[in-house]
Amino acid sequence: LQGSAAAFVLSRLFRETGRPFVVVTHTEREARAMEQDCAFFLGGDPVSLYPAWDIVSTDLLALQRDIERIRIGVLYRLLQGSPGIIVLPLKALMQRVMPRTALEAYIQTIAIGDLLDRDALVEKLVMGGYRRETLVEEMGEFGVRGHVVDIFPPTATAPFRLEFFGDELESIRRFDPASQRSIDEVVDFALTPAGEVIFSEARKQQAVRNIRIRADELELPRLVRDRLTEMIGQNLVSSINPLFLPLFH
């Protein structure tokens, strides 16, 4: 099959069976083309691209937050059992993925009427790779202003504004990140991590130990090793270069 024919056949099979499909391509370019073609035939929603990490980087401490958020969204969709087509390049298939148990343990449904300790919620967000900002405008960010907590999960199309009375969650509203104005009210939403590493104390200690043990194996320059150890130990990381994922999992 040539051109868009493979995507057309795959889309027909998905329509007729309703079963999920995983499509592996040789290159990232082929994966993007397949995803776009399938999205054209199916209307877009059931099709997801699972991108590969760019392991070859001139900066070992460089982050890849956009890729990280997309990958988390696809993993969450798979966890939910939603039927669809997942397209990924061979390189992505061969790369490490966060353990399913870690993702399942983090995910939490937050609903109106819940009793939540805001300090514990903030700690959970930081552990999940969220960055604290004054204004929440991008996925993977959160903000706190008095009794209001804003969160933008990578699996959501818009951020959520949580209003508390004491420890009770009184309302959840979606809002426009550009204007910061409310869009509508929702009853609940799923809180997923913003990255593929949950920065719990146990995982950070494991990573620091592994850095010391595997520094030579990973060919880490001493400056990078010391900086990375310091960042992890002092809670200065909200994301991690994918090269270092094996240190945590």
Side-chain angles (χ1 to χ4, degrees):
L1 298 177
Q2 297 181 350
S4 300
F8 174 75
V9 171
L10 183 63
S11 300
R12 286 292 302 272
L13 286 172
F14 173 74
R15 287 288 191 203
E16 292 176 5
T17 65
R19 301 183 64 180
F21 286 86
V22 175
V23 182
V24 182
T25 64
H26 288 288
T27 66
E28 189 93 23
R29 182 177 179 180
E30 291 174 348
R32 293 188 182 279
M34 176 66 75
E35 184 262 341
Q36 291 172 0
D37 288 343
C38 288
F40 172 78
F41 292 122
L42 292 172
D45 187 55
V47 187
S48 300
L49 174 67
Y50 187 74
W53 292 112
D54 180 14
I55 298 298
V56 181
S57 174
T58 56
D59 183 358
L60 291 177
L61 295 174
L63 308 179
Q64 299 176 45
R65 290 196 175 97
D66 289 341
I67 291 177
E68 192 169 41
R69 290 192 289 259
I70 294 172
R71 285 167 63 99
I72 282 292
V74 175
L75 292 176
Y76 175 69
R77 184 171 183 170
L78 288 171
L79 197 61
Q80 295 299 106
S82 303
I85 298 175
I86 309 296
V87 185
L88 68 159
L90 181 61
K91 185 167 67 171
L93 185 66
M94 299 173 65
Q95 291 173 349
R96 188 178 292 268
V97 178
M98 74 179 301
R100 175 173 179 162
T101 52
L103 180 58
E104 287 178 324
Y106 186 91
I107 294 172
Q108 176 182 356
T109 299
I110 294 181
I112 293 175
D114 283 352
L115 294 177
L116 298 171
D117 184 310
R118 272 171 289 174
D119 291 338
L121 177 59
V122 168
E123 183 179 355
K124 181 182 179 77
L125 291 169
V126 172
M127 284 189 355
Y130 286 83
R131 303 187 309 281
R132 186 166 185 167
E133 302 288 350
T134 303
L135 289 180
V136 172
E137 299 175 308
E138 297 183 359
M139 292 179 178
E141 295 180 347
F142 80 98
V144 181
R145 300 184 315 281
H147 64 283
V148 176
V149 179
D150 294 341
I151 308 173
F152 200 162
T155 51
T157 56
F160 299 99
R161 178 157 293 151
L162 286 59
E163 295 190 19
F164 289 85
F165 182 77
D167 287 339
E168 183 178 356
L169 181 54
E170 283 199 321
S171 72
I172 305 174
R173 292 183 177 274
R174 295 193 311 145
F175 66 92
D176 183 338
S179 67
Q180 297 290 303
R181 294 181 177 178
S182 296
I183 299 173
D184 55 19
E185 187 170 17
V186 297
V187 175
D188 58 27
F189 71 96
L191 177 62
T192 62
E196 289 192 47
V197 173
I198 309 301
F199 292 96
S200 64
E201 284 302 319
R203 290 213 180 275
K204 288 190 292 184
Q205 291 174 13
Q206 175 184 342
V208 171
R209 287 196 304 269
N210 285 337
I211 289 172
R212 294 171 180 149
I213 294 171
R214 302 181 58 190
D216 293 336
E217 177 186 335
L218 293 173
E219 298 182 352
L220 293 181
R222 184 179 182 85
L223 180 63
V224 172
R225 181 188 64 189
D226 293 344
R227 184 180 171 194
L228 186 61
T229 300
E230 180 183 5
M231 290 173 65
I232 294 172
Q234 296 183 8
N235 295 321
L236 298 178
V237 289
S238 61
S239 187
I240 199 74
N241 186 302
L243 177 64
F244 304 126
L245 285 178
L247 298 174
F248 293 85
H249 298 305

